[in-house]
Every structure is written in structure tokens, then in C-alpha cells.
Amino acid sequence: MTMIVLVVATLGFRLLGMLPGLARFATWRVSAAHGLAVMLVMTAGAHFVPPGVTFMPNHADMVAMVPPFVPFPALMVYLTGILELAGAVGLVLPATRRAAGICLALLFVLMLPANIHAALAGVTFAGEAASPLWQRIPEQVLYIGVALWAAGAIRGFSGRTASASSASTGL
């Protein structure tokens, strides 16, 4: 579900960038930063949902994900939720986007053991089985890559539109 949210939100922002007056979203990189922010707001919300809620993952589900070697699991769930929300805000602000993306990539690396534990321990989310490792690890790697790319920490596809590239090269 999170992958779908990331893709749909990124495409939505990129389409908005084609409209007059919304040049903010004129690049894939900025659209991806905003798409990742939308996904993070959604995932961070689960960190604070009371245990009685069953239509979506809740705080108790998240606590069950925390590996046994991590101290204060309930506190860690709240802390990671706050960090995800802070990262989402940081991604949408141009002045903090780079730092936020790098910090989020580190957070995603630190949270990988929880995702592995959830898959191996059969943790359920809102009564549904956790996604298997073959799915979770590539997703986590993708989120790390998107965070770093949106931050401008990874070179490669520049995220510019064809017209912007042509204008900058004089073509």
C-alpha cells in the first residue's frame, strides 16, 4: 500500500507541475520529495493510532514489529513516528530537503531490522499478515533511494523536464 501511495502521490505532484503557476512541481525530484512526504504522513499516523482501531495498523502493531534487542519499544514507535513526520515536513521545504532526505535514508536503514523482524516473526497489521521479506527489503531499499535522490544526494536522472534541460543547454 505504501508503495502505491508513493507512486500515485509522486505522479500527482508531477502532473500538477505541468499546470501554469505550479512550477514548484516541475521536476520529478521535487515531485518525488513531496510524494515521499505524503507516504510518510500516512505511515507515521499508524505510530499514534490507539490499539482498539482495527481497520489500519495501530500503535500496538508497530510495537510488535520492534525487535527484542531494542529497548523501550513503545517509546521507539512514538519516536520513529515523530521522526517520520519531521522528515515529511523537511522534504517539502526546499531549504531543508537535502538534510531531511539524508536523515530519512538513515532512519529507513535503522528501521530495517524492525521490518525484517516483523516478516520473520509473523507480526500482523490490522489482522493482516506482514508482507514477506522478498517484498519488504526491496521496498525499504527503494525508500532509501528515493529519499537520497529527492535530497539531491544521488546523482543520475536530474529530474528536469525536457524543456528545462534544453533551455539550460541552449538547445
Side-chain angles (χ1 to χ4, degrees):
M1 178 67 162
T2 55
M3 179 81 69
I4 293 168
V5 170
L6 173 61
V7 170
V8 169
T10 298
L11 289 172
F13 284 116
R14 186 61 189 92
L15 289 171
L16 283 174
M18 295 177 183
L19 297 174
L22 291 173
R24 172 186 183 101
F25 306 114
T27 68
W28 281 105
R29 188 179 305 252
V30 172
S31 297
H34 284 75
L36 185 59
V38 168
M39 184 201 84
L40 285 166
V41 168
M42 181 194 81
T43 59
H47 292 73
F48 306 101
V49 173
V53 175
T54 59
F55 67 89
M56 66 180 285
N58 60 45
H59 181 77
D61 293 334
M62 297 300 203
V63 170
M65 282 183 71
V66 179
F69 63 85
V70 176
F72 311 109
L75 178 63
M76 291 300 159
V77 168
Y78 287 128
L79 177 63
T80 55
I82 291 167
L83 292 173
E84 286 182 16
L85 289 172
V89 170
L91 284 173
V92 300
L93 301 173
T96 57
R97 186 170 298 135
R98 182 172 176 79
I102 293 168
C103 289
L104 282 167
L106 291 172
L107 180 64
F108 293 148
V109 169
L110 291 173
M111 291 188 330
L112 186 57
N115 285 307
I116 292 170
H117 174 71
L120 294 178
V123 173
T124 59
F125 300 103
E128 300 290 322
S131 40
L133 273 181
W134 64 263
Q135 179 183 346
R136 281 183 167 266
I137 291 176
E139 277 184 16
Q140 200 77 2
V141 170
L142 174 74
Y143 302 146
I144 292 165
V146 170
L148 291 172
W149 180 67
I154 293 179
R155 299 288 177 225
F157 178 64
S158 69
R160 290 191 213 162
T161 61
S163 61
S165 296
S166 299
S168 67
T169 60
L171 297 176

